[in-house]
Amino acid sequence: MQKIIILDFGSQTTQLIGRRVRELDTFCEIMPYNKFPKDDPSVIGVILSGSPYSVHDPEAFKVDLSQFVGRLPVLGICYGAQFISHTLGGKVEKADSREYGRANLETINLDNPLFKGFERGSQVWMSHGDTITAIPADFEVIGSTKDVKNAAFASTKQPVWAVQFHPEVFHTLQGTQLLKNFVVDICGSRQEWSAASFVDSTVAELKAQLGEDRVILGLSGGVDSSVAAVLLNKAIGKNLTCIFVDHGMLRKNEFTQVMNDYKVLGLNVIGVDASEKFFADLAGVSDPEQKRKIIGRDFVEVFNAEAKKITDAKWLAQGTIYPDRIESLNITGKVIKSHHNVGGLPKEMHLQLCEPLKWLFKDEVRRVGRQLGMPEHLITRHPFPGPGLAVRILGDITPEKVRVLQDADDIYIRGLRDYKVKLSGEEARKVLAAGVPADMTDGTIEVSLYDQIWQAGAILLSTVRSVGVMGDERTYEHPVALRAVTSTDAMTADWAHLPYDFMAKVSNEIINKVRGVNRVCYDISSKPPATIEWE
């Protein structure tokens, strides 16, 4: 299959470039800047990402451009553009002030294939401290803003293009058009990558890989493991056994609801209620890290006990997705995230690993789920932490505290699903690009608040009490904090600006209906510096 290689120089938006290319029905791989695959005939083009470094930094990431320049079409983005200029004889200097935010392409060479279909004055998004003051010989400027003369340039002799702005972000209004021009028109993508083609090819591969072998899969109720299970079930049917462990800290009625969903999907699922064990082992423990370790240890013990009963199993399947496997780089150049496995299974079980979703981004997983005919509420379910509500309860864990938080969280999540909003322009494009099904009418779409945000949940501040008045009586109970964030990949997140009337209604309902809560707050912290979860 044809593919685009995206060389990662450490930018926070590298994964977003990958998602945009995949949205063009074109397969791509994100690889560390120094690991370009040589002699791979399936590669049809190369994109160089941004970076936290300046090209002048001694530790700046560098790549040998001769590996692909002249052989394949190349597009440099931000640092990638500066690196091309710096390496091929241009000049990159520190800008008088950081060029950050919206700008407009006042001059565009509309005859250049990179800008086919563009409008003059098209809005782009800048984010760099250096600027290109001179381009290499045999290159020409094809786009300029008011403040950046060399905003876009191209070689007159080789298929090389470079832009100092970020076409992958939504603020560059015709960024998708630019990437389409490069990937489809310039590189010649046949646009063969789709949810349907992925399902067909993956099912065939799984049948060949697994044969009549028995496979075990640990389900969490989340979209990744659920889609992996349905995909495997389509390939090997009864030879798949799923294990769903209830540690007692799922959302309200979630264990029963998810088990019913899996039954409807025809999955062979073993449901294990191990809540008594988890609560006993968590008794009196309030340190967040210690809580996580206990839950992780107990989960492995419970899962192993069930897995050992399936004596003829040869494979362990998991819902690993592509962002879990990408080697992301921090500014020190050290790998901070690499391929993860489900740990804890004893070596003597000799299980091989099967990861049917390992090439997919989260939005692609949801598209595959829809292709497989899964119910929408499973596909659009927000990410939920493995330790569950244990990391949304400050202090020690008790069944009563979990009950209080489940009730408050249930009101909050149902409210988000029920509250409809109309979106247009950039906001509508973001939601549609994430794969949320919605019909565009008169330039607007109507979606729920739940579908508009990345993740939401309630947090019980059980280490805090506040005074209140209910029914002319003084109360001294716990506050609940509500959290909702917008994001593309959870690497960074911004707090969601929920409507005041919605928050007023939810706050009133929680205080009136949830015994043990007399105050509701809203968390307006972004990541960084805060994390999405409180613990």
Side-chain angles (χ1 to χ4, degrees):
M1 180 181 291
Q2 294 177 318
K3 63 184 172 186
I4 299 290
I5 293 296
I6 301 169
L7 293 182
D8 183 11
F9 290 85
S11 171
Q12 289 186 343
T13 60
T14 301
Q15 288 193 28
L16 194 53
I17 299 172
R19 290 180 61 205
R20 296 290 173 263
V21 173
R22 295 281 185 88
E23 287 167 8
L24 296 170
D25 298 328
T26 303
F27 184 66
C28 68
E29 281 190 58
I30 297 174
M31 310 194 74
Y33 67 96
N34 57 353
K35 292 186 178 180
F36 178 76
K38 297 179 181 179
D39 303 320
D40 185 343
S42 65
V43 179
I44 59 172
V46 182
I47 297 176
L48 310 184
S49 83
S51 174
Y53 286 119
S54 162
V55 294
H56 299 296
D57 291 340
E59 64 272 38
F61 301 138
K62 296 178 174 65
V63 64
D64 180 4
L65 294 178
S66 66
Q67 296 177 90
F68 40 81
V69 168
R71 292 198 308 110
L72 295 165
V74 179
L75 172 64
I77 295 174
C78 196
Y79 175 90
Q82 294 167 1
F83 183 79
I84 288 172
S85 179
H86 176 71
T87 304
L88 299 183
K91 192 172 185 179
V92 178
E93 298 180 286
K94 190 173 184 61
D96 294 334
S97 61
R98 182 173 174 83
E99 295 167 347
Y100 180 84
R102 293 175 175 84
N104 297 92
L105 292 174
E106 297 186 348
T107 304
I108 308 178
N109 181 353
L110 297 177
D111 292 328
N112 191 282
L114 192 68
F115 285 130
K116 185 183 78 173
F118 260 62
E119 300 173 0
R120 296 194 185 278
S122 187
Q123 178 182 294
V124 297
W125 182 263
M126 297 285 188
S127 180
H128 53 264
D130 288 350
T131 192
I132 298 169
T133 54
I135 60 176
D138 300 325
F139 277 73
E140 63 178 357
V141 176
I142 58 173
S144 305
T145 70
K146 178 182 178 182
D147 299 316
V148 183
K149 177 184 176 182
N150 302 311
F153 54 98
S155 171
T156 58
K157 294 186 176 180
Q158 297 174 318
V160 180
W161 289 262
V163 295
Q164 288 205 77
F165 54 87
H166 287 270
E168 71 274 20
V169 303
F170 284 103
H171 301 303
T172 297
L173 298 185
Q174 291 187 279
T176 299
Q177 180 66 43
L178 185 148
L179 291 173
K180 181 177 183 293
N181 291 342
F182 178 73
V183 171
V184 179
D185 296 344
I186 294 172
C187 296
S189 168
R190 294 191 292 265
Q191 296 184 283
E192 300 167 317
W193 177 260
S194 66
S197 67
F198 174 82
V199 170
D200 291 343
S201 62
T202 303
V203 167
E205 290 169 6
L206 289 171
K207 287 180 177 179
Q209 178 188 25
L210 304 174
E212 295 299 319
D213 292 349
R214 182 66 61 88
V215 179
I216 301 172
L217 178 124
L219 285 170
S220 68
V223 60
D224 298 337
S225 65
S226 298
V227 172
V230 175
L231 195 59
L232 279 160
N233 188 58
K234 185 177 179 67
I236 63 173
K238 60 181 176 57
N239 286 335
L240 171 68
T241 300
C242 303
I243 301 173
F244 183 27
V245 177
D246 180 9
H247 50 39
M249 288 153 285
L250 299 172
R251 283 178 158 148
K252 187 174 182 178
N253 300 323
E254 185 173 23
F255 183 70
T256 301
Q257 292 169 355
V258 171
M259 285 296 290
N260 288 338
D261 284 334
Y262 288 151
K263 184 177 180 180
V264 171
L265 290 170
L267 299 179
N268 175 27
V269 184
I270 299 171
V272 184
D273 181 357
S275 55
E276 188 174 330
K277 172 180 173 60
F278 281 86
F279 281 124
D281 290 349
L282 287 167
V285 178
S286 58
D287 178 73
E289 190 60 25
Q290 190 65 18
K291 286 193 288 188
R292 285 180 175 271
K293 287 180 178 178
I294 291 171
I295 292 169
R297 180 200 69 201
D298 284 4
F299 178 87
V300 168
E301 290 178 2
V302 174
F303 186 88
N304 288 348
E306 291 299 325
K308 285 181 179 179
K309 297 175 184 178
I310 308 170
T311 56
D312 57 344
K314 294 185 179 180
W315 297 83
L316 171 70
Q318 64 181 59
T320 306
I321 63 174
Y322 195 38
D324 298 326
R325 304 171 59 241
I326 295 171
E327 295 182 59
S328 299
L329 302 171
N330 66 12
I331 59 174
T332 67
K334 296 178 181 177
V335 174
I336 58 175
K337 186 178 183 183
S338 58
H339 186 186
H340 77 279
N341 288 338
V342 171
L345 282 176
K347 290 183 179 179
E348 60 267 23
M349 292 186 70
H350 303 297
L351 294 179
Q352 300 177 71
L353 191 63
C354 175
E355 298 171 307
L357 307 181
K358 64 184 179 181
W359 291 112
L360 301 186
F361 288 100
K362 177 71 78 172
D363 50 337
E364 292 177 310
V365 174
R366 292 191 168 109
R367 290 190 184 99
V368 168
R370 292 187 180 98
Q371 182 68 30
L372 291 167
M374 294 174 61
E376 195 65 27
H377 68 271
L378 266 182
I379 296 169
T380 58
R381 186 177 186 269
H382 286 176
F384 189 66
L389 299 180
V391 293
R392 294 181 180 176
I393 296 175
L394 304 193
D396 65 331
I397 308 298
T398 67
E400 174 58 16
K401 290 179 181 179
V402 171
R403 191 276 308 166
V404 171
L405 184 54
Q406 283 177 333
D407 288 347
D409 183 79
D410 184 59
I411 291 171
Y412 181 36
I413 298 300
R414 282 192 293 105
L416 288 169
R417 289 188 181 277
D418 292 342
Y419 194 99
K420 305 298 182 183
V421 291
K422 288 189 175 181
L423 304 176
S424 60
E426 197 169 296
E427 289 183 323
R429 290 195 298 115
K430 286 182 181 179
V431 172
L432 291 172
V436 175
D439 294 326
M440 183 75 78
T441 305
D442 299 327
T444 66
I445 60 173
E446 184 176 79
V447 296
S448 69
L449 279 178
Y450 186 89
D451 287 334
Q452 193 183 358
I453 60 183
W454 171 268
Q455 187 172 341
I459 300 93
L460 178 63
L461 282 60
S462 68
T463 57
V464 178
R465 289 183 181 272
S466 67
V467 174
V469 178
M470 298 181 72
D472 296 328
E473 292 184 3
R474 178 184 183 276
T475 62
Y476 192 50
E477 297 176 329
H478 300 296
V480 161
L482 304 181
R483 183 77 158 134
V485 297
T486 57
S487 181
T488 56
D489 55 15
M491 300 286 286
T492 61
D494 194 14
W495 62 278
H497 296 214
L498 301 180
Y500 287 160
D501 62 329
F502 166 78
M503 290 197 289
K505 181 177 183 298
V506 166
S507 172
N508 187 62
E509 189 173 353
I510 289 174
I511 292 171
N512 285 336
K513 293 184 178 180
V514 181
R515 179 170 43 86
V517 175
N518 67 353
R519 190 179 299 269
V520 174
C521 311
Y522 187 58
D523 183 348
I524 59 169
S525 310
S526 295
K527 176 188 179 182
T531 53
I532 295 178
E533 301 296 343
W534 277 44
E535 289 193 343

